[in-house]
């Protein structure tokens, strides 16, 4: 399920702000104060008892097949539905009861009949619900009746249910068309424990069985499910479906709607895309992506897609984001729609990536399922990795692994360093615990670990291992040891000699939280180096004994070859490795982890950093683009944890004037945006802004603010980064180009490309003329398009003109301008979060209007939220003094408008900012001043020239007079 993956798109956007603030100060993450989980905790299995704390079904029976029949009138908004289910099951041991799962269904009537006896009569049953564990315990009404071991039965249950309205289980959704008519539909979201809401079942992933589904609905509606229709059982108002292969309950899906579809076929596999009426012209990209992505995955795995058709459907209300139902993938409807005229390049990529994720599940999770949620990573890790690999095969010109690097890879490294990190393989039992596993440690981290071994063991071995795993285990459920066994067999057959078993190597990564910090110590005289490992934690003085089987490789100045990413050496679960066969010249740079494919951070000595800075400045192409990106980010992290100095980081950053790739600039943007946020109120801020402008102006002038026909795909991503950063730090070129682009749009109707629309508006309004600014402000009040209104609102706060900001902020109090309450209370944030000018304007506004602002809405406390938000951006004592005075004024004269802990929160946030400045400001300004002086000549020479010019000017003026 892509629930976490899709939300991660938002998480990664927030990482450039929230994680930045969190990562600035060296912190004790508490890892050494806690107990790491031991391997014995990972492999708990289902207990055959009725303990109240046991949420696993007993193992006394096993399902073989289901016949599910449902009746719904969702076409008119009716939520009630009726259902019946027949389960062919086998009793494995002498039993007096059968236990299934259920959720929010009722009025059960149940019978059971033997399949081993001819003319057997139905046995009436009692049904006892357990609402806590969601068990349905079924027992014969006659206490003398039992179920013998190794017998076969058909259990029949009739029941009633209600379509949920929380986007879980079997639920109701709706959309409103252009004529303002509401259309209802019924759809499903069963992962991880919601199939039990639609019908009583064995709702555990390893309880695979076949399913035959029939749905009764209004004749004006259609129904779709995992399998094609069964023509023999289908008639007007009744849709029957062919029987599925053996599969897990959570992968069953059905939709009853008036949706329309587009369809295509590739390699004999028909595919369709369904969504609300009137959107079929926007489904072409999703259909095409589905066709080529499926073909790419089937070709890579060497295993064909197992079902006779493959559908996608866009759902109006869909909390999960996307879901890999076998043969019927479902998505939030906006992830199905794309047009060149109105959609961004980023959305185009995201749609293909999401489809890649869900389609990869058709093999990992569907064809081969997991034995239990302990191994959630075994499907989500593969789906995350192959969302990129499938796109890399289908669209090689995208260079999609640069996107992977700045997104999932860095997300994994950031989150896996926290005290809250858990192992990939981690036992859970309750529905709540299972839901909690949809996080970094089931998605991003395992994808990164798998990518590491895809490179370390070679793609050939990795690919054959996956083929073996899928082929041997199709239509069954597995755990990680089955995967490791397949990798080992592939390595043996391909002649790859591993230093220990694949299971030993891989399990050292799946069974413990965190990842290694590799410290490289060079012997410059001997040309060798030593690599030491320990778990990376924020506290640089902390020690720990954690070790991994770490594959490494390296490039040097004399061998800058990044093509072969296989492991040349291993740290064999030991703390130190001496690499004596390197023969590196004393003036040569050394770089570990080619293409940044390994999952760890690397710390070098100062001399090697200097050598790396020099090659970056002179010949950046000698370092792979992903290595350039990771070198910057690792150095930034090490600065924040006191392992490296500001000069080391900024010496590396100084090469950016020669950088033209997306991943390094995206990483640099994350770093430089942090420093900009803290320094923007400093009297020496110009030194920082001049440094960044010097780095960015060259590539910015090359790419500009307009898309270039035929340019590299990632240039679209890079342009977004460059416009945002260049305008943020005051690049005059960015101001001028953005202002012109916005003016041409507003006055001449020249379209702005969707990909840069947000950046063009913000950059174009930073120093806009009043008539342009007021025009956008008027559009905010008059537009009926929610997307446009959000864009206008956020962009108007970008202005650097105090009078414009005063007008903008005052509009929050104007009850006649058509703004909603939520929009009125969002204006301040769009100003104070953008710049020092915006923060000052916000303080000016609230100092005189705080009571009026506080009364904007009674349902929340907007003034309290605004003051807390402003505190997050206060970075000077002058701002602190003003904010504290404002808070005291409010607490004294309007305490009902704020919460009691306001002062504590404000003080904490401001102190964190000032503490950051106390550590980072002086050494950074010192370095920037020296850099500025070096670029502009010595102070003495500068002073002498200024004196000569002044004297000459005085003499000329005297002569004129």
């Amino acid at each position: 399920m892509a629930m976490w993956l899709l939300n991660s798109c938002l998480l990664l956007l927030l990482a450039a702000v929230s994680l930045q603030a969190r990562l600035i100060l060296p912190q004790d993450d508490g890892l050494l104060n806690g107990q790491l989980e031991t391997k014995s905790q990972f492999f708990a299995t289902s207990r055959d008892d009725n303990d109240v704390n046991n949420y696993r079904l007993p193992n006394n029976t096993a399902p073989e097949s289901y016949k599910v029949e449902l009746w719904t009138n969702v076409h008119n908004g009716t939520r009630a539905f009726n259902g019946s289910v027949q389960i062919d099951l086998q009793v494995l041991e002498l039993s007096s009861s059968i236990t299934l799962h259920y959720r929010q269904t009722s009025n059960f009537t149940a019978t059971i009949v033997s399949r081993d006896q001819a003319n057997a009569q139905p046995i009436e049953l009692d049904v006892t619900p357990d609402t806590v564990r969601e068990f349905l315990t079924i027992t014969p009404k006659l206490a003398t009746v039992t179920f013998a071991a190794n017998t076969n039965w058909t259990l029949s249950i009739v029941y009633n249910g209600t379509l949920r309205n929380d986007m879980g289980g079997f639920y109701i959704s709706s959309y409103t068309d252009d004529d303002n008519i509401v259309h209802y539909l019924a759809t499903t979201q069963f992962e991880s424990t919601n199939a039990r809401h639609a019908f009583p079942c064995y709702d555990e992933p390893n309880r695979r069985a076949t399913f035959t589904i029939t749905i009764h609905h209004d004749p004006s509606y259609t129904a779709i499910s995992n399998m094609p229709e069964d023509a023999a059982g289908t008639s007007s108002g009744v849709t029957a479906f062919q029987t599925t292969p053996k599969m897990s309950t959570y992968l069953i899906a059905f939709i009853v709607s008036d949706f329309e579809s587009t369809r295509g076929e590739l390699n004999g596999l028909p595919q369709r895309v369904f969504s609300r009426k009137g959107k079929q012209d926007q489904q072409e990209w999703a259909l095409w992506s589905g066709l080529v992505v499926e073909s790419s995955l089937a070709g890579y795995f060497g295993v064909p897609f197992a079902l006779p058709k493959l559908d996608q459907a866009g759902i109006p209300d869909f909390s999960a984001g996307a879901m890999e139902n076998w043969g019927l993938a479902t998505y939030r409807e906006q992830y199905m729609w794309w047009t060149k005229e109105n959609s961004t390049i980023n959305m185009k990529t995201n749609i293909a990536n999401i489809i890649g994720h869900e389609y990869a599940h058709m093999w990992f999770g569907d064809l081969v399922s997991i034995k239990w949620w302990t191994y959630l990573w075994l499907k989500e890790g593969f789906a995350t990795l192959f969302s990129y690999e499938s796109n890399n095969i289908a669209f090689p010109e995208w260079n999609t692994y640069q996107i992977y690097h700045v997104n999932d890879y860095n997300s994994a490294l950031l989150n896996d360093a926290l005290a809250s990190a858990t192992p990939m393989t981690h036992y859970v039992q309750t529905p709540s615990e299972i839901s909690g596993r949809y996080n970094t440690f089931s998605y991003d981290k395992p994808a990164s670990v798998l990518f590491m071994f895809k490179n370390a063991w070679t793609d050939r071995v990795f690919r054959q291992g996956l083929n073996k795993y899928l082929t041997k285990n199709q239509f069954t459920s597995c755990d990680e040891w089955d995967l490791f066994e397949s990798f080992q067999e592939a390595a043996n057959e391909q002649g790859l000699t591993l230093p220990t078993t694949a299971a030993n190597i891989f399990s050292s990564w799946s069974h413990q939280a965190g990842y290694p910090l590799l410290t490289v110590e060079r012997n410059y005289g001997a040309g060798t180096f030593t690599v030491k490992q320990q778990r990376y934690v924020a506290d640089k003085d902390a020690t720990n004994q954690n070790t991994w089987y770490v594959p490494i490789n390296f490039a040097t100045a004399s061998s800058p070859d990044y093509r072969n990413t296989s492991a040349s050496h291993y740290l064999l679960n030991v703390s130190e490795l001496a690499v004596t066969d390197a023969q590196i010249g004393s003036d040569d740079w050394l770089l570990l982890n080619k293409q940044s494919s390994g999952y760890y951070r690397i710390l070098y000595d100062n001399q090697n950093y200097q050598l790396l800075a020099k090659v970056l400045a002179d010949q950046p192409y000698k370092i792979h683009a992903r290595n350039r990106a990771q070198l910057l980010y690792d150095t930034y992290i090490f600065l924040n944890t006191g392992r490296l100095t500001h000069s080391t980081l900024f010496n590396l950053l100084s090469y950016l004037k020669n950088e033209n790739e997306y991943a390094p600039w995206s990483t640099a943007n994350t770093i430089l945006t942090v420093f900009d946020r803290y320094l923007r109120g400093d009297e020496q801020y110009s030194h920082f802004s001049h440094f960044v402008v010097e780095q960015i102006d060259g590539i910015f002038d090359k790419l500009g603010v307009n898309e270039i026909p035929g340019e590299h795909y990632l240039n679209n991503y890079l342009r977004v980064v460059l416009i945002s950063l260049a305008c943020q730090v005051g690049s005059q070129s960015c101001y001028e180009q953005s202002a012109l682009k916005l003016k041409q749009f507003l006055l001449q109707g020249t379209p702005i490309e969707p990909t840069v629309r947000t950046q063009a508006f913000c950059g174009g309004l930073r120093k806009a003329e009043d008539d342009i600014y007021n025009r956008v402000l008027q559009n905010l009040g008059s537009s009926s398009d929610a997307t446009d209104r959000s864009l206008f609102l956020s962009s108007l706060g970008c202005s650097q003109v105090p009078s414009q900001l005063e007008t903008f902020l005052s509009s929050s109090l104007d009850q006649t301008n058509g703004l909603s309450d939520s929009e009125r209370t969002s204006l301040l944030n769009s100003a104070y979060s953008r710049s020092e000018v915006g923060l000052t304007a916000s303080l000016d506004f609230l100092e005189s209007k705080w009571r009026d602002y506080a009364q904007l809405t009674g349902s929340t406390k907007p003034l309290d939220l605004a003051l807390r938000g402003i505190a997050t951006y206060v970075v000077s004592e002058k701002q602190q003094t003003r904010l504290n005075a404002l808070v005291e004024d409010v607490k004294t004269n309007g305490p009902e408008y704020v919460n009691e802990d306001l002062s504590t929160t404000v003080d904490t946030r401001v102190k964190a900012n000032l503490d950051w400045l106390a550590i980072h400001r002086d050494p950074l300004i010192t370095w920037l001043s020296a850099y500025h002086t070096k670029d502009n000549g010595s102070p003495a020479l500068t002073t002498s020239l200024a004196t000569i010019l002044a004297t000459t000017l005085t003499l000329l003026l005297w002569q004129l007079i």
Side-chain angles (χ1 to χ4, degrees):
M1 179 170 57
M3 173 174 60
W4 188 89
L5 172 76
L6 297 169
N7 288 335
S8 73
C9 295
L10 283 176
L11 289 173
L12 290 163
L13 289 174
L14 293 172
V17 179
S18 60
L19 282 175
Q20 290 163 354
R22 179 157 58 97
L23 290 169
I24 294 301
L25 286 171
Q27 300 175 14
D28 178 4
D29 59 13
L31 281 173
L32 300 183
N33 297 323
Q35 175 67 40
L36 292 176
E37 293 190 83
T38 59
K39 292 182 180 180
S40 62
Q41 293 175 277
F42 298 141
F43 307 113
T45 57
S46 172
R47 301 193 308 270
D48 257 342
D49 59 47
N50 201 36
D51 186 284
V52 293
N53 294 315
N54 181 20
Y55 282 72
R56 301 288 298 274
L57 290 174
N59 294 319
N60 62 323
T61 63
E64 296 177 347
S65 67
Y66 294 78
K67 289 183 180 178
V68 179
E69 195 162 5
L70 299 168
W71 289 259
T72 175
N73 287 309
V74 72
H75 65 285
N76 59 20
T78 300
R79 291 177 57 197
F81 73 89
N82 299 318
S84 71
V85 59
Q86 292 183 10
I87 308 174
D88 285 351
L89 59 88
Q90 183 179 29
V91 175
L92 304 177
E93 58 189 53
L94 177 64
S95 303
S96 59
S97 65
I98 298 168
T99 304
L100 309 176
H101 283 118
Y102 89 105
R103 179 176 289 164
Q104 299 170 353
T105 46
S106 58
N107 298 326
F108 302 102
T109 300
T111 60
I112 195 168
V113 62
S114 172
R115 287 187 289 128
D116 297 326
Q117 301 174 10
N119 302 317
Q121 296 300 306
I123 299 171
E124 294 186 352
L125 302 170
D126 287 326
V127 180
T128 306
D130 176 346
T131 58
V132 176
R133 293 182 293 173
E134 300 179 322
F135 283 177
L136 208 59
T137 302
I138 297 168
T139 55
K141 288 183 178 293
L142 293 176
T144 57
V145 176
T146 58
F147 307 110
N150 300 316
T151 56
N152 300 285
W153 301 80
T154 296
L155 170 65
S156 299
I157 306 174
V158 178
Y159 58 96
N160 303 132
T162 302
L163 297 175
R164 287 163 56 174
N165 56 11
D166 61 355
M167 293 177 279
F170 190 23
Y171 72 93
I172 190 169
S173 180
S174 66
Y175 69 91
T176 304
D177 65 21
D178 293 339
D179 296 323
N180 209 34
I181 298 174
V182 177
H183 299 246
Y184 295 99
L185 61 137
T187 186
T188 58
Q189 172 52 41
F190 288 165
E191 188 174 0
S192 51
T193 61
N194 268 314
R196 64 192 69 174
H197 172 256
F199 52 93
C201 57
Y202 295 79
D203 204 7
E204 295 185 352
N206 65 328
R207 305 296 186 103
R208 296 179 69 118
T210 63
F211 293 82
T212 305
I213 296 171
T214 302
I215 299 178
H216 300 255
H217 52 82
D218 188 81
S220 66
Y221 271 38
T222 59
I224 56 176
S225 186
N226 306 80
M227 295 292 288
E229 286 185 13
D230 178 4
T234 297
S235 60
S236 178
V238 180
T239 305
F241 299 95
Q242 298 174 20
T243 301
T244 72
K246 284 193 172 183
M247 60 185 292
S248 303
T249 51
Y250 77 90
L251 295 169
I252 291 295
F254 31 83
I255 302 171
V256 181
S257 71
D258 62 356
F259 280 176
E260 295 178 343
S261 67
T262 53
R263 60 190 65 207
E265 184 173 320
L266 184 62
N267 299 327
L269 178 65
Q271 295 196 41
R272 299 177 295 181
V273 176
F274 290 83
S275 69
R276 66 169 70 184
K277 291 181 176 180
K279 293 293 186 179
Q280 281 56 56
D281 60 326
Q282 300 182 35
Q283 296 176 175
E284 181 179 346
W285 175 245
L287 177 62
W288 172 249
S289 295
L291 291 169
V292 296
V293 164
E294 185 280 330
S295 178
S296 299
L297 290 169
Y300 187 93
F301 301 141
V303 178
F305 178 69
L307 302 186
K309 63 89 180 175
L310 180 51
D311 293 336
Q312 302 182 78
I315 310 300
D317 304 304
F318 197 66
S319 62
M323 176 63 206
E324 68 269 17
N325 313 299
W326 206 2
L328 175 54
T330 47
Y331 309 80
R332 293 179 191 169
E333 62 182 6
Q334 59 264 41
Y335 298 138
M336 290 282 92
W337 300 337
W338 189 86
T339 63
K340 184 177 181 180
E341 295 75 22
N342 300 308
S343 308
T344 67
I345 291 295
N346 306 63
M347 178 56 76
K348 180 180 184 179
T349 312
N350 289 344
I351 289 172
N353 182 275
I354 294 165
I355 291 173
H357 184 105
E358 303 313 321
Y359 277 23
H361 273 309
M362 301 294 160
W363 286 265
F364 292 94
D366 297 7
L367 181 65
V368 179
S369 58
I370 54 176
K371 284 186 176 177
W372 183 243
W373 303 108
T374 296
Y375 307 103
L376 181 60
W377 71 265
L378 199 55
K379 69 184 188 75
E380 297 299 347
F382 276 112
T384 303
L385 173 60
F386 280 95
S387 68
Y388 292 99
E389 181 63 26
S390 65
N391 285 196
N392 193 51
I393 297 169
F395 313 107
E397 70 279 7
W398 287 7
N399 201 355
T400 189
Y401 276 113
Q402 283 202 39
I403 303 173
Y404 155 80
H405 184 91
V406 300
N407 289 356
D408 296 78
Y409 178 76
N410 275 325
S411 172
L413 289 172
L414 288 171
N415 287 284
D416 205 17
L418 302 176
S420 56
T422 56
M424 291 159 49
T425 301
H426 183 74
Y427 184 70
V428 288
Q429 186 175 154
T430 69
S432 176
E433 292 171 347
I434 294 167
S435 295
R437 290 303 297 164
Y438 290 85
N439 55 30
T440 299
F441 315 111
S442 297
Y443 287 75
D444 298 346
K445 178 179 179 176
S448 300
V449 172
L450 288 164
F451 184 66
M452 174 170 62
F453 289 113
K454 179 180 183 293
N455 285 272
W457 293 343
T458 73
D459 184 71
R460 184 180 67 257
V461 169
F462 187 79
R463 188 171 178 175
Q464 183 173 337
L466 299 189
N467 175 271
K468 287 180 172 294
Y469 172 75
L470 294 169
T471 303
K472 288 193 304 180
N473 301 299
Q474 57 185 328
F475 307 114
T476 65
S477 300
C478 291
D479 59 27
E480 60 184 337
W481 305 105
D482 298 301
L483 176 67
F484 302 159
E485 179 183 324
S486 294
F487 279 144
Q488 186 66 61
E489 291 176 2
N492 294 343
E493 292 179 13
Q494 291 293 334
L496 174 65
T497 302
L498 297 174
T500 182
T501 65
N504 284 341
I505 295 172
F506 205 113
S507 63
S508 74
W509 296 85
S510 62
H511 291 175
Q512 59 181 328
Y515 56 86
L517 168 64
L518 302 187
T519 301
V520 180
E521 298 176 355
R522 289 185 60 178
N523 184 328
Y524 288 90
T528 61
F529 64 93
T530 299
V531 183
K532 297 180 179 179
Q533 70 158 313
Q534 65 176 27
R535 181 177 180 180
Y536 171 78
V537 293
D539 183 355
K540 66 182 177 63
D541 297 319
T543 59
N544 59 73
Q545 304 301 315
N546 299 88
T547 57
W548 290 257
Y549 288 94
V550 185
I552 62 172
N553 52 40
F554 57 92
T556 65
S558 59
S559 181
D561 187 348
Y562 299 88
R563 292 172 297 176
N564 183 2
T565 54
S566 62
S568 60
H569 299 76
Y570 279 85
L571 279 90
L572 298 178
N573 212 22
V574 294
S575 60
E576 186 173 329
L577 169 70
V579 179
T580 59
D581 57 350
Q583 299 302 306
I584 307 168
S586 59
D587 294 330
D588 285 356
W589 50 264
L590 167 67
L591 185 76
L592 267 66
N593 196 17
K594 291 191 284 187
Q595 296 192 35
S596 199
S597 56
Y599 183 63
Y600 39 77
R601 296 197 189 277
I602 306 164
L603 179 64
Y604 301 100
D605 59 72
N606 287 332
Q607 185 174 344
N608 197 61
Y609 277 114
Q610 292 172 11
L611 294 169
L612 288 168
K614 185 177 188 305
V615 71
L616 284 175
D618 297 340
Q619 298 173 300
Y621 53 86
K622 293 285 188 180
I623 308 293
H624 192 275
R626 297 205 300 270
N627 285 112
R628 299 198 297 268
Q630 199 57 30
L631 187 60
L632 294 179
Y633 210 86
D634 280 353
T635 306
Y636 167 66
I637 294 295
F638 295 150
L639 166 65
N640 294 327
T641 56
R643 290 175 168 93
L644 291 175
T645 64
H646 295 78
S647 61
T648 303
L649 174 61
F650 276 80
N651 283 338
L652 291 173
L653 288 168
S654 300
Y655 95 95
L656 286 168
K657 61 177 71 72
N658 298 317
E659 180 58 76
N660 58 12
E661 292 279 1
Y662 166 66
W665 264 116
S666 178
T667 302
N669 177 57
T670 299
I671 297 168
L672 294 170
T673 300
V674 173
F675 286 101
D676 178 80
R677 172 183 160 184
Y678 285 98
L679 294 175
R680 61 178 55 161
D682 195 281
E683 59 184 8
Q684 299 294 321
Y685 175 75
S686 61
H687 286 336
F688 174 77
S689 63
H690 290 162
F691 169 78
V692 180
V693 169
E694 178 183 313
Q695 305 305 314
I696 203 171
D697 261 0
I699 183 65
F700 181 82
D701 288 342
K702 177 182 176 182
L703 293 186
V705 298
N706 300 317
E707 291 182 3
I708 302 170
E711 66 184 335
H712 191 284
Y713 190 82
L714 282 185
N715 279 358
N716 294 282
Y717 280 69
L718 178 56
R719 182 175 292 106
V720 170
V721 170
L722 296 177
I723 299 175
S724 299
L725 181 59
C727 284
Q728 177 67 39
V729 298
S731 164
Q732 193 62 33
S733 179
C734 186
Y735 285 172
E736 293 172 356
Q737 291 191 45
S738 299
L740 177 61
K741 191 175 185 72
L742 180 59
K743 183 180 292 188
Q744 289 174 337
F745 169 71
L746 293 174
L747 302 183
Q748 302 170 20
T750 304
I752 297 177
E753 302 91 337
T755 301
V756 296
R757 195 161 182 251
T758 298
Q759 291 69 33
F761 265 82
C762 182
L765 290 174
R766 285 188 180 273
K767 293 290 182 68
E769 299 165 357
D770 285 348
D771 62 328
I772 295 296
Y773 189 86
N774 291 333
R775 188 176 184 125
V776 177
L777 184 58
Q778 291 168 5
N779 290 344
L780 169 61
S782 62
S783 175
S784 59
D785 186 283
T787 301
D788 283 348
R789 292 176 71 90
S790 177
L791 171 65
F792 300 152
L793 189 149
S794 65
S795 300
L796 286 162
C798 296
S799 174
Q800 300 294 286
V801 181
S803 60
Q804 293 175 356
L805 288 171
E806 180 183 2
T807 301
F808 175 56
L809 296 178
S810 296
S811 69
S812 66
L813 305 178
D814 182 357
Q815 297 293 332
T816 67
N817 58 15
L819 297 182
S820 67
D821 286 346
S822 62
E823 288 172 334
R824 295 179 192 284
T825 55
S826 299
L827 298 185
L828 274 169
N829 177 268
S830 68
Y832 66 67
S833 65
R834 296 288 188 179
S835 66
E836 195 265 342
V837 175
L839 189 140
T840 299
S842 299
L843 288 172
D844 291 342
F845 171 74
L846 288 178
E847 283 169 346
S848 61
K849 303 288 181 57
W850 65 259
R851 188 178 297 276
D852 293 335
Y853 187 82
Q855 296 173 351
L856 278 177
T857 173
S859 58
T860 61
K861 293 185 175 181
L863 179 60
D864 183 272
L865 293 173
L867 293 172
R868 292 169 192 262
I870 290 173
T872 304
Y873 293 89
V874 166
V875 290
S876 71
E877 292 182 357
K878 179 181 178 181
Q879 295 169 350
Q880 180 187 30
T881 300
R882 290 187 67 183
L883 178 59
N884 286 343
L886 176 58
V887 169
E888 286 305 311
D889 184 18
V890 171
K891 290 178 63 178
T892 301
N893 299 299
E896 68 273 20
Y897 299 123
V898 295
N899 295 314
E900 292 183 1
D901 65 340
L902 174 63
S903 292
T904 301
T905 300
V906 167
D907 290 344
T908 299
R909 293 182 180 182
V910 173
K911 181 179 183 300
N913 294 342
L914 298 182
D915 286 348
W916 184 94
L917 288 164
I919 294 172
H920 293 274
R921 189 265 179 197
D922 287 350
L924 177 55
I925 294 298
T926 298
W927 186 93
L928 289 169
S929 298
Y931 182 89
H932 185 69
T933 300
K934 179 183 68 175
D935 278 7
N936 291 279
S938 68
L941 179 58
T942 303
T943 303
S944 299
L945 289 172
T947 302
I948 293 170
L949 290 171
T951 303
T952 302
L953 182 59
T954 302
L955 289 171
L956 288 171
L957 289 172
W958 182 82
Q959 288 177 351
L960 288 172
I961 294 171

